[in-house]
Amino acid sequence: DDPALTARFAQLVAASGIQAPRFAQVEMHGGVFANAMALPSLRRSAVVFTDTVLSRLDVDEVIAIAAHEVAHLEHYNRRRLQRASLMNLALIAAATLVVVIEHLLPSLATIVVYAWPALLFVALIARAQHRQRHETESDLRAVALTGDPEALVRALSKIHAIARLPRRWDVQLERHATHPSLARRIKTIREAAGSPPAVLAAAAAFHAPDGSASVI
């Protein structure tokens, strides 16, 4: 219901070239949960924000997050959505077939019981295989759509702070996570924007009061 924000949303959609999605917010009713989500659809896609995002981020930061979600909608075009829909139907058909086989061919029930979870696991792994790379691509596309890399950096930093998420993750954890760590995302965003890396002007020394340790 903010005309300035909805006007910026319209500009963003025009720059992306996708069919205009529905922009909506979810009321937290006093709770705090900072998140936004793209909901691709063959009928009409949507971008949903929690009211925490809209109330705690400034307009440029909200637009940066919206651009990231719009990039997801660009990626999940009609062809990809149709393919995902066929995969879902195939999994439903396979689940139905499992039940039928268990009733009609009890001798194969043991094989089916073990084969079905394996099939489902492989299908889910295949679906999530490129998720982290896609998140990075969406960050970079958001920068291209808005021309404001620092707004995206600020927005991501605020969302991580609200959620009390660390800036850096364990290497093994990050390798298998759906999203890169905040530190890696900021580094990639600034590198793509051509921003010079941050440097320390001079060394700083910190000493424990009792003289037992020091850090430079």
Side-chain angles (χ1 to χ4, degrees), residues 110-206:
T110 302
I111 298 174
V112 170
V113 165
Y114 287 103
W116 166 243
L119 175 64
L120 184 60
F121 179 75
V122 170
L124 293 176
I125 290 295
R127 178 170 291 185
Q129 187 175 11
H130 304 296
R131 179 72 182 274
Q132 189 175 127
R133 186 180 70 186
H134 175 50
E135 290 296 331
T136 299
E137 291 170 349
S138 296
D139 282 344
L140 300 184
R141 178 58 175 157
V143 172
L145 287 171
T146 62
D148 193 350
E150 289 305 312
L152 182 57
V153 168
R154 294 195 310 272
L156 292 173
S157 298
K158 287 182 179 180
I159 289 174
H160 276 67
I162 293 169
R164 293 181 171 84
L165 293 173
R167 290 174 64 91
R168 292 175 176 82
W169 295 342
D170 175 79
V171 175
Q172 292 299 324
L173 174 63
E174 183 168 5
R175 186 171 297 165
H176 300 288
T178 57
H179 290 61
S181 65
L182 175 61
R184 189 174 297 277
R185 293 178 78 173
I186 291 175
K187 180 176 182 290
T188 303
I189 290 167
R190 286 180 170 160
E191 283 179 349
S195 304
V199 295
L200 293 175
F206 303 88

Side-chain angles (χ1 to χ4, degrees), residues 21-77:
R22 176 171 175 254
F23 290 92
Q25 70 174 7
V26 176
E27 301 290 343
M28 292 291 100
H29 302 290
V32 177
F33 181 63
N35 199 11
M37 184 179 296
L39 302 176
S41 171
L42 288 170
R43 294 181 179 178
R44 188 185 182 189
S45 300
V47 176
V48 180
F49 304 88
T50 62
D51 60 3
T52 306
V53 170
L54 299 178
S55 63
R56 299 201 180 192
L57 274 60
D58 65 35
V59 172
D60 289 338
E61 293 162 358
V62 171
I63 295 302
I65 295 298
H68 175 95
E69 302 306 330
V70 165
H72 284 314
L73 297 183
E74 286 181 331
H75 176 78
Y76 288 105
N77 53 32

